[in-house]
Amino acid sequence: MAFGVVAASFSRVPSIVTTRGCYVTRASLPNKSLKFSKEYNWKHNSRSIFERRGSTITTCDEKKYLVNVTQSNDEVEPHSKTIFNSIIHALDAFRKFSRLYAFIAMVVASLSTSLLAVDNLTELYPAFFNGFLQCMAAYFFMHLYIVGINQLADLEIDKINKPYLPLASGNYSFRNAVITVTSFLLTGFGIAWMIGSKPLLWTIFASFVLMTAYSVNLPLLRWKKSTILTVMGCTISMVLSFNLGPFYHMKTHVLKKAATFPRSLLFAVVVMSMYYIVIALTKDIPDIKGDKEAGLQTLAVRLGPKRVFWSSVLLLEMAYGAAIIIGASSPFLWSKIFVVLSHAIMALFVWYRSTLVDLSNKDSLQAFYMLIFKLFSVENILMLFVR
């Protein structure tokens, strides 16, 4: 279309097209070269008309009628590459938003606890895994709601503590995030309702109440302002979601058996509760700066990172001590040896690793926090050997 308009505009003026896709009309030629004829040697006079440097063309006459109708291939990004980069960017933003490392830890813990509901290997039939996947589907959307509502409530704080998050960085708009997070909540409840598992539905509901109260800034809520309420809310929510909920969902709804409270489940609740308390405490250590400016009196703000850090390490060591005591009381020799030895090694590793943490470095503290999730996943695997 542009080519036709240009041609029509200068149809009465003899012209040539340069190799750069630009029209050069008779008016742009030197006065002495205005004799247009078949004998005119364009090649001979081309250097007197243009001075080419890089991608620019300069005319020597005062009147210039240069119209750019093409674009350099170097300046055009392939459409397929643009789409691919957009997809990668969107997936990376979702990864940051969803905190997938926490959901992976939930999957490991839920699978480990679900296996505790199995009395013999013959019960590991397709219905078992189907029931587990149904549970994880509901948990996944509830997990997205929990991390989403927390980021919505902590938007200004995250601009200081976690500016890389999609909401804090502006990749997600606040309005769209509210709509998306609400849809996650409704989807999680909808899946649990369709499954028809009462333990699963009550677990989803309890997590919704506790973590909403923890995050939103409404009267009598915003529990993260209180260390006691923070620890209580996070610990109860994780015990229900990671341990009790999956166990009783698999035991009563999937396997159709009577509800029990075996020794292995007691081990899971006692030891993992200490992990949950440690997670609730250490998550605030790298965020002291933003929490101070927001007026949140977390334990890390009040006591300082050093005291909270070493208190958390001590709690982990106590968790391993409790695991060793429970493991040593096992009537099975193989379980006794394995549980005691493995937890003794983990206790030594945690102590050694904690001595390497630089408490003045936010990245070092964050790395230790991520290590806790890895240890948490390992602990859930070891839990299967408790008898």
Side-chain angles (χ1 to χ4, degrees):
M1 177 102 183
F3 183 88
V5 172
V6 172
S9 301
F10 296 102
S11 60
R12 296 185 180 182
V13 184
S15 60
I16 60 170
V17 181
T18 70
T19 56
R20 302 297 297 173
C22 299
Y23 274 90
V24 181
T25 68
R26 177 178 177 180
S28 65
L29 298 176
N31 292 332
K32 64 179 181 180
S33 303
L34 292 178
K35 295 181 180 180
F36 267 69
S37 64
K38 294 183 180 179
E39 292 82 9
Y40 190 90
N41 190 349
W42 287 100
K43 185 180 292 186
H44 176 74
N45 290 284
S46 60
R47 291 190 178 275
S48 66
I49 300 173
F50 309 115
E51 292 179 5
R52 294 182 175 85
R53 284 180 175 83
S55 61
T56 62
I57 301 176
T58 307
T59 63
C60 301
D61 194 81
E62 293 181 356
K63 298 181 179 179
K64 306 176 181 65
Y65 298 92
L66 300 179
V67 182
N68 189 6
V69 294
T70 63
Q71 189 175 8
S72 172
N73 290 333
D74 296 336
E75 299 173 0
V76 180
E77 189 176 4
H79 184 61
S80 59
K81 185 177 180 181
T82 303
I83 295 176
F84 178 77
N85 290 339
S86 298
I87 294 174
I88 295 299
H89 178 74
L91 290 175
D92 185 60
F94 179 76
R95 176 187 62 82
K96 294 174 182 177
F97 171 82
S98 61
R99 305 295 185 88
L100 286 179
Y101 65 87
F103 180 70
I104 292 173
M106 176 187 286
V107 172
V108 174
S110 299
L111 178 59
S112 177
T113 309
S114 297
L115 290 172
L116 296 180
V118 176
D119 295 325
N120 53 72
L121 295 179
T122 58
E123 295 175 345
L124 294 177
Y125 47 86
F128 173 88
F129 295 101
N130 182 55
F132 175 74
L133 291 177
Q134 289 177 343
C135 178
M136 288 301 97
Y139 275 6
F140 177 67
F141 286 101
M142 182 53 62
H143 167 78
L144 292 178
Y145 165 77
I146 291 172
V147 297
I149 194 67
N150 188 59
Q151 291 179 48
L152 286 170
D154 287 354
L155 179 58
E156 298 302 321
I157 299 176
D158 286 341
K159 289 180 180 179
I160 301 172
N161 290 335
K162 303 178 182 72
Y164 55 85
L165 293 177
L167 266 171
S169 64
N171 285 339
Y172 289 176
S173 69
F174 187 85
R175 177 179 175 275
N176 290 342
V178 170
I179 296 173
T180 304
V181 169
T182 304
S183 67
F184 288 152
L185 174 65
L186 297 177
T187 303
F189 271 115
I191 293 175
W193 183 267
M194 288 188 294
I195 293 172
S197 170
K198 289 183 179 180
L200 179 60
L201 189 59
W202 280 110
T203 300
I204 292 289
F205 178 75
S207 297
F208 159 69
V209 172
L210 291 170
M211 299 316 296
T212 301
Y214 167 79
S215 298
V216 299
N217 193 10
L218 292 174
L220 302 178
L221 301 182
R222 191 67 168 170
W223 288 1
K224 65 169 53 184
K225 293 180 179 179
S226 168
T227 300
I228 295 176
L229 291 177
T230 294
V231 172
M232 182 190 71
C234 292
T235 302
I236 293 176
S237 176
M238 285 189 278
V239 166
L240 291 174
S241 300
F242 292 16
N243 304 116
L244 297 180
F247 178 85
Y248 288 110
H249 165 71
M250 301 303 295
K251 193 78 171 178
T252 62
H253 180 75
V254 177
L255 299 177
K256 308 296 183 183
K257 292 185 176 182
T260 59
F261 197 85
R263 188 169 179 273
S264 55
L265 184 60
L266 173 65
F267 174 88
V269 172
V270 172
V271 176
M272 303 316 288
S273 292
M274 294 187 182
Y275 264 97
Y276 303 146
I277 294 173
V278 169
I279 291 173
L281 294 177
T282 54
K283 71 179 181 58
D284 293 328
I285 298 179
D287 298 338
I288 289 179
K289 183 180 178 181
D291 292 344
K292 276 184 178 179
E293 295 192 14
L296 294 178
Q297 293 298 311
T298 63
L299 197 64
V301 172
R302 289 187 292 169
L303 301 182
K306 184 176 181 180
R307 289 184 179 181
V308 176
F309 175 80
W310 286 110
S311 297
S312 300
V313 173
L314 180 60
L315 281 173
L316 279 178
E317 298 295 343
M318 289 174 60
Y320 295 136
I324 289 173
I325 293 173
I326 296 175
S329 62
S330 173
F332 300 95
L333 181 61
W334 65 268
S335 176
K336 181 183 300 186
I337 294 175
F338 182 82
V339 173
V340 170
L341 185 61
S342 61
H343 284 88
I345 293 173
M346 289 185 69
L348 292 174
F349 173 76
V350 168
W351 185 262
Y352 167 74
R353 184 63 179 80
S354 61
T355 60
L356 303 179
V357 176
D358 182 2
L359 297 178
S360 62
N361 188 297
K362 183 177 179 179
D363 293 336
S364 181
L365 290 168
Q366 185 67 27
F368 186 79
Y369 177 68
M370 298 304 297
L371 176 65
I372 294 174
F373 276 92
K374 297 175 183 176
L375 295 172
F376 172 80
S377 298
V378 173
E379 184 63 44
N380 278 283
I381 296 174
L382 297 178
M383 183 173 65
L384 296 174
F385 297 90
V386 177
R387 291 291 182 271

